[in-house]
Amino acid sequence: GEDVEQSLFLSVREGDSSVINCTYTDSSSTYLYWYKQEPGAGLQLLTYIFSNMDMKQDQRLTVLLNKKDKHLSLRIADTQTGDSAIYFCAERAGGYNKLIFGAGTRLAVHP
Amino acid sequence: EAQVTQNPRYLITVTGKKLTVTCSQNMNHEYMSWYRQDPGLGLRQIYYSMNVEVTDKGDVPEGYKVSRKEKRNFPLILESPSPNQTSLYFCASSLSGTGIYEQYFGPGTRLTVT
């Protein structure tokens, strides 16, 4: 069945790079997403990658996809305190716009 | 401003007292859905709607009802809430349920059932 797994916590120093990892099980997933949730807010789409790509870069964000291992990662360069949030990995399941979410990784950025 | 709104944002209620959480979007989106977020479990889909008068169960529909009488509104109904429905609820919408379209999320409704 469909399942998405992430580690629950990550702590980094301000200015360092953060790498958040995710694994998924559905090999037919066409799109994979990264969402950001700030305290008290809804989810904001950060970026997404199509399954026939292995990398996508968008300013400080780099997404890497290893389709063979079903592994997705999000790298945030020069992490800032404003990046502190929960990051969700999600895969698009089935033929319609249903998302299967991981449990979320809480990123804490400290000085 | 394009947005998804939910009301109320916070609700404390007692077991068995019927309640409705409203969701409205102003983007003329066809697809709407409800998720619940629980610690360590991420978001799980409760119900979704591909268009007006078309709704279907998601992964965790037990204890919930929905309706889609108008395109902009997609209320979530708990006929007899129980403590295991204490959770953070999100409504989301996208232009269509098919094809690749960004989902926009509401700010969430934190529900506590005692």
Side-chain angles (χ1 to χ4, degrees):
Chain A
E2 307 142 345
D3 195 17
V4 178
E5 294 191 357
Q6 308 176 232
S7 53
L8 295 182
F9 299 102
L10 177 65
S11 179
V12 299
R13 185 173 300 172
E14 192 174 9
D16 288 351
S17 291
S18 308
V19 179
I20 302 170
N21 295 301
C22 167
T23 57
Y24 61 98
T25 57
D26 188 351
S27 58
S28 66
S29 293
T30 52
Y31 282 84
L32 296 133
Y33 302 83
W34 285 103
Y35 280 84
K36 178 183 181 182
Q37 183 183 31
E38 297 187 42
L43 276 72
Q44 172 195 359
L45 179 63
L46 275 182
T47 187
Y48 65 91
I49 188 166
F50 187 48
S51 59
N52 70 351
M53 300 168 64
D54 52 19
M55 187 181 92
K56 181 178 180 182
Q57 188 151 5
D58 184 2
Q59 300 182 348
R60 293 190 298 122
L61 305 179
T62 303
V63 179
L64 296 178
L65 175 61
N66 180 330
K67 197 174 181 184
K68 174 176 165 290
D69 294 337
K70 300 191 187 70
H71 182 266
L72 183 74
S73 68
L74 173 69
R75 179 176 179 270
I76 305 172
D78 186 25
T79 311
Q80 303 298 307
T81 55
D83 295 322
S84 295
I86 301 176
Y87 291 81
F88 290 93
C89 169
E91 61 175 347
R92 185 170 185 265
Y96 67 97
N97 210 357
K98 173 184 175 181
L99 299 178
I100 304 294
F101 286 87
T105 299
R106 184 179 294 276
L107 174 65
V109 182
H110 56 87
Chain B
E1 179 191 353
Q3 60 183 350
V4 179
T5 56
Q6 295 178 228
N7 282 292
R9 293 289 313 278
Y10 302 91
L11 179 60
I12 300 174
T13 190
V14 296
T15 299
K17 186 176 180 184
K18 180 180 178 180
L19 66 92
T20 299
V21 183
T22 65
C23 172
S24 183
Q25 49 89 9
N26 61 1
M27 297 169 279
N28 201 36
H29 284 173
E30 290 186 347
Y31 180 82
M32 297 185 75
S33 67
W34 277 102
Y35 292 87
R36 60 177 287 174
Q37 181 183 4
D38 300 292
L41 295 177
L43 280 78
R44 294 175 293 167
Q45 191 181 56
I46 303 170
Y47 268 94
Y48 67 95
S49 169
M50 297 290 273
N51 212 328
V52 175
E53 301 291 4
V54 181
T55 63
D56 209 344
K57 296 177 181 178
D59 295 319
V60 288
E62 294 77 21
Y64 304 95
K65 283 175 55 177
V66 293
S67 69
R68 188 91 182 274
K69 294 185 171 56
E70 308 163 281
K71 201 170 189 180
R72 64 182 295 130
N73 296 323
F74 189 44
L76 179 70
I77 303 153
L78 285 73
E79 294 270 3
S80 182
S82 62
N84 65 11
Q85 293 178 297
T86 292
S87 188
L88 180 58
Y89 292 86
F90 287 101
C91 180
S93 74
S94 66
L95 190 62
S96 171
T98 57
I100 305 302
Y101 296 100
E102 180 178 350
Q103 286 200 44
Y104 294 82
F105 284 80
T109 295
R110 186 168 292 281
L111 172 65
T112 302
V113 183
T114 62

